[in-house]
Structure formats: structure tokens, C-alpha cells
Amino acid sequence: MASILPLAVALDLAIGDPEYPYHPVRLIGRSLEKIEHALRRAGADGYGGGILLFVILAWAWAGGISALVWSLSLVNAPLGWVAELFFVYSFLALGDLLHHGRAIERAVERDDLQDARRRVSMLVGRDTEP
């Protein structure tokens, strides 16, 4: 529905992106780590493993969430709409991205590359040390 994206953006900018253990992005990140570990153990750790990782994650998460929203819509249309709004809102994180981006920019302007790396690591979930 066309009204979901503007509403999700407004929600994100108004209340931000809450941090909680079962946030969909955190769940995707945890599943990525587990699947990546399993693929590496199986020897699929190169380019092909990366493609396989992407396909598995896309199928599981995009397909799973789409199926869930569709199923909820069949049961109750407003419930499906609310579920779709929740997921679009959860995946945006625009307000937090802008906030973190500004903090990184300020650190770079101060020539504080250590702080900039630390702040970038908060966005990417990976080690940013050289």
C-alpha cells in the first residue's frame, strides 16, 4: 500500500529505531553469522559461498516476511497492513543512520579517525580496525 512508506518514514524520524534483542535486523544479522559459519565449515567460503549466503538470506527473510504479511492479510486486512508497516519501519532506520552519519562526519572533521572507525563499526557490525 502506498501510504505505508511515508508513514514508516514519519514513525522512524519521530521515535527512532528502538534497540531490542528481537529486532528484525538483529535477527537477520544473527542468522547471517550462523549461515556464514556453516557455509565456511562446508568449504563454501569464496565468491560462490557469498552468493549462496545472499540467496539463502533473501529467500528466508524476504520470502518469510512476505509470506507472513500475506498470511496475516488473509486473516485480517488491517493486521496485515500493521505487520507490513512494522517491517518497513524496522528496516528503514533512517533517523539512526542520519544520526550516526553525522557523528562519523564530526569525528572525521576533528581528524579523530579512531573515533570515526568506532562509530562506523556501530553501523556495520564488523571490525573496522586497520
Side-chain angles (χ1 to χ4, degrees):
M1 189 172 280
S3 62
I4 286 182
L5 184 58
L7 185 54
V9 170
L11 279 172
D12 181 65
L13 294 175
I15 62 177
D17 193 30
E19 289 186 31
Y20 57 98
Y22 298 107
H23 189 290
V25 174
R26 288 180 184 263
L27 295 175
I28 291 169
R30 285 188 208 124
S31 66
L32 180 148
E33 289 175 355
K34 289 180 182 184
I35 296 166
E36 180 182 30
H37 183 71
L39 289 171
R40 287 183 187 273
R41 272 197 332 256
D45 58 353
Y47 184 74
I51 291 172
L52 187 56
L53 175 64
F54 171 78
V55 168
I56 292 169
L57 283 173
W59 177 81
W61 284 101
I65 289 171
S66 296
L68 175 64
V69 169
W70 178 73
S71 298
L72 290 172
S73 294
L74 291 177
V75 172
N76 181 292
L79 182 60
W81 187 87
V82 168
E84 185 176 356
L85 175 63
F86 167 75
F87 285 114
V88 172
Y89 159 72
S90 294
F91 292 133
L92 279 177
L94 178 62
D96 279 354
L97 180 62
L98 293 172
H99 172 78
H100 286 294
R102 286 185 200 112
I104 293 164
E105 181 181 35
R106 285 190 300 272
V108 170
E109 287 171 351
R110 292 189 318 268
D111 282 333
D112 189 347
L113 294 183
Q114 185 174 1
D115 187 41
R117 280 190 188 101
R118 183 182 63 78
R119 292 179 181 280
V120 167
S121 74
M122 295 169 67
L123 287 176
V124 298
R126 300 279 184 179
D127 184 12
T128 57
E129 290 301 314

